[in-house]
Amino acid sequence: MTVIEPTKKDPENPGKVKKYSPSLRLWHWANMLVITGSLLTVLLNSTLLKNRNNSQFIKTELQKAGTVVTDEQAGSAAHALSDKVWDIHVYFGYVLAALFLFRIILELFQLADQKFIRVLKHTYHSFKLTKASRKTHFHELTVKIIYAAFYMLLLIMVVTGLFLAFEDFFAPYKAIRHSVKSVHGFCMYLILAFIAVHLIGVFLAERKNGKGIVSDMINGGE
């Protein structure tokens, strides 16, 4: 029996359709802000708030103010400041996990032709079966595969991040903590690579073809 799935419709203008639903656009921009904030906390703690450098800075400034502190005391103060930033990083992680769950639910309840899985399958079949415009279909398929990889990276980041945030509840698996942390950090670099590729791709598409990708992600597109 054939299952008929709903398709995109604009109630105010039945003749037009939206490529991106309001919920998907909300997820996209919220996800961008959360990932940016999370990456900034990592950048701060690895540069301005690096424990070794900050410890010496705190000790020097206190000595100028007439207060003598030991290396251990200065190190504790620097570490406490770094921990505050990591706390913010953890909060960003919780929001990212909530957004990922929201994206899964959204995929289940999206209109049929706005579902990522359906679009990916359609793009693959178009590339496989269509001889004409093979280059265009290959490009579209490559883009969709990159997005699929991004979703997988988000899943790994969320799972490993939650493991690290609640490591006390996973005491029997404490031996793999270092490995989990390494995977979490490595995925961060892969996400940075995706962001760079994504921005370059959007810039080139806007510049060469004038596709209005950014505009579509704001107003929904047609």
Side-chain angles (χ1 to χ4, degrees):
M1 182 176 71
T2 303
V3 178
I4 300 175
E5 295 180 287
T7 56
K8 297 176 287 188
K9 290 183 180 178
D10 184 347
E12 297 180 1
N13 221 327
K16 294 183 179 181
V17 295
K18 294 292 185 180
K19 288 194 294 185
Y20 307 111
S21 67
S23 299
L24 183 60
R25 282 176 274 152
L26 173 64
W27 175 84
H28 176 273
W29 294 113
N31 208 53
M32 180 205 72
L33 290 174
V34 170
I35 290 177
T36 300
S38 182
L39 291 174
L40 283 176
T41 59
V42 175
L43 180 64
L44 278 173
N45 267 355
S46 60
T47 54
L48 294 177
L49 299 180
K50 197 169 184 178
N51 284 343
R52 184 179 299 175
N53 298 337
N54 230 28
S55 175
Q56 186 59 44
F57 174 77
I58 290 172
K59 183 178 180 180
T60 301
E61 291 302 310
L62 287 176
Q63 285 177 340
K64 289 179 181 178
T67 303
V68 178
V69 296
T70 64
D71 289 338
E72 184 178 352
Q73 290 171 326
S76 296
H79 188 71
L81 185 59
S82 177
D83 283 345
K84 289 292 184 182
V85 178
W86 281 126
D87 287 342
I88 297 173
H89 180 82
V90 171
Y91 294 143
F92 274 124
Y94 293 151
V95 178
L96 185 64
L99 284 172
F100 188 78
L101 178 61
F102 174 76
R103 183 65 183 89
I104 293 174
I105 296 173
L106 185 61
E107 181 70 11
L108 296 175
F109 293 97
Q110 280 273 78
L111 295 174
D113 47 5
Q114 290 179 337
K115 291 183 177 181
F116 178 78
I117 297 296
R118 187 177 188 271
V119 173
L120 179 60
K121 288 180 178 178
H122 175 74
T123 305
Y124 171 73
H125 287 305
S126 296
F127 169 74
K128 188 177 180 180
L129 301 176
T130 307
K131 299 296 182 181
S133 304
R134 177 61 63 98
K135 184 177 180 181
T136 300
H137 288 301
F138 177 75
H139 171 75
E140 292 178 356
L141 179 61
T142 301
V143 171
K144 295 298 183 296
I145 290 174
I146 291 175
Y147 276 103
F150 172 68
Y151 286 128
M152 287 302 299
L153 282 175
L154 280 184
L155 174 61
I156 296 171
M157 287 291 287
V158 166
V159 172
T160 56
L162 289 175
F163 178 93
L164 294 171
F166 296 98
E167 59 180 313
D168 291 340
F169 293 95
F170 299 102
Y173 305 98
K174 192 173 182 179
I176 66 170
R177 183 187 183 280
H178 180 72
S179 298
V180 171
K181 188 175 181 180
S182 297
V183 171
H184 189 75
F186 180 68
C187 284
M188 179 195 70
Y189 291 109
L190 294 180
I191 286 180
L192 282 172
F194 168 81
I195 292 172
V197 171
H198 179 63
L199 292 176
I200 292 171
V202 169
F203 174 77
L204 292 177
E206 294 280 5
R207 189 164 180 258
K208 291 182 179 180
N209 305 317
K211 288 186 175 181
I213 297 175
V214 177
S215 178
D216 287 349
M217 193 48 74
I218 295 174
N219 60 40
E222 295 179 357

